[in-house]
Amino acid sequence: SFAPESSSVSFSSSSTSSDDNTNVITGYLHHSDGDKSCYVRLVFTVDNDSEVSGTASFNNTTLDISGNYYDGSKKLLIYENGGGRYEGYVNGSTYSGKYYDNDGTWSFSMNVN
């Protein structure tokens, strides 16, 4: 869950409970070439060094993810163990940006749950 912080989202938490540190982001990737879309569920924690670890689930597949969250700019970079890369920004309850993989470029605007 995200702690509200001056009407923006904070991925950091001083809580020792792992439940409180788990972030869930869900939504659709939309391919730049047209009608292709894919539903994605990202579940991850962010440690004290702003390093992301967790899983990405889509199309009955689950991949490990890693990356970084930059609190100042609210930039969230996520790398899938398998080549995909999410680059975007968290704004309130939305994570939006671009996803890159072997199929090309996808755009997304997902919900921070």
Side-chain angles (χ1 to χ4, degrees):
S1 61
F2 292 85
E5 189 174 280
S6 67
S7 79
S8 64
V9 170
S10 172
F11 284 85
S12 56
S13 171
S14 58
S15 168
T16 53
S17 164
S18 59
D19 290 345
D20 292 346
N21 286 342
T22 301
N23 304 293
V24 181
I25 297 178
T26 56
Y28 285 89
L29 306 177
H30 298 283
H31 199 273
S32 60
D33 288 344
D35 295 335
K36 237 185 340 181
S37 67
C38 178
Y39 183 77
V40 176
R41 185 170 192 264
L42 305 172
V43 180
F44 61 92
T45 57
V46 179
D47 69 15
N48 291 334
D49 293 325
S50 299
E51 292 186 358
V52 171
S53 60
T55 58
S57 303
F58 55 92
N59 297 341
N60 299 317
T61 301
T62 299
L63 296 175
D64 289 331
I65 57 174
S66 60
N68 291 92
Y69 176 65
Y70 302 92
D71 197 43
S73 62
K74 308 295 181 195
K75 185 173 189 178
L76 178 60
L77 291 177
I78 293 177
Y79 300 92
E80 287 174 348
N81 181 9
R85 180 174 90 249
Y86 299 82
E87 291 186 10
Y89 293 87
V90 176
N91 184 356
S93 60
T94 304
Y95 175 45
S96 57
K98 301 279 191 207
Y99 172 79
Y100 305 93
D101 68 1
N102 292 338
D103 282 337
T105 303
W106 308 66
S107 61
F108 63 83
S109 181
M110 296 192 271
N111 295 316
V112 174
N113 301 307

